[in-house]
C-alpha cells in the first residue's frame, strides 16, 4: 500500500494500482545515494572517517545509536551486488 499525492489530494493505492500512468505527463523519477549509505568498511584499507562517521559516532546525535560503520556493506559485497 502506498500513499501518494495526486492533484493535491492524498490517495491510498495498492502496489498493483501504481504504474507509470499514475503520474502526470513529464514527471521525472530520480534516485540518490551516498557513499556513506553504501560502503561501510569505516576503518579498512585507509578509508578515513568522514564528517558523517564522526557525527554518527558521537553519543546522543543519533536516536537509535546507529552509524555507517557497516552500512549496506557494499565494500565487501560488491561482487555479489
Amino acid at each position: 500500500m502506498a500513499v501518494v499525492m495526486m492533484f493535491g489530494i492524498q490517495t491510498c493505492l495498492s502496489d498493483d494500482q501504481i504504474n507509470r500512468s499514475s503520474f502526470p505527463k513529464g514527471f521525472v523519477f530520480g534516485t540518490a545515494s551516498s557513499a556513506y549509505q553504501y560502503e561501510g568498511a569505516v576503518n579498512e584499507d585507509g578509508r578515513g572517517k568522514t564528517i558523517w562517521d564522526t557525527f554518527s559516532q558521537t553519543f546522543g546525535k543519533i536516536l537509535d545509536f546507529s552509524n555507517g560503520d557497516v552500512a549496506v556493506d557494499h565494500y565487501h559485497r560488491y561482487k555479489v551486488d
Side-chain angles (χ1 to χ4, degrees):
M1 184 71 65
V3 178
V4 296
M5 290 292 285
M6 295 188 69
F7 311 109
I9 300 169
Q10 188 172 355
T11 306
C12 291
L13 299 172
S14 65
D15 292 342
D16 62 334
Q17 292 177 300
I18 298 174
N19 57 48
R20 184 78 166 128
S21 64
S22 301
F23 297 88
K25 184 177 180 175
F27 186 87
V28 178
F29 292 89
T31 63
S33 64
S34 71
Y36 179 77
Q37 294 170 305
Y38 278 87
E39 290 176 354
V42 70
N43 292 314
E44 296 187 42
D45 295 331
R47 178 192 179 280
K49 285 187 176 185
T50 67
I51 192 170
W52 286 109
D53 293 314
T54 302
F55 179 84
S56 67
Q57 293 169 358
T58 303
F59 183 80
K61 295 293 185 180
I62 307 297
L63 186 62
D64 67 358
F65 306 106
S66 62
N67 60 50
D69 289 3
V70 177
V72 298
D73 202 22
H74 183 71
Y75 183 86
H76 294 108
R77 299 172 179 239
Y78 72 94
K79 289 181 182 178
V80 295
D81 282 349

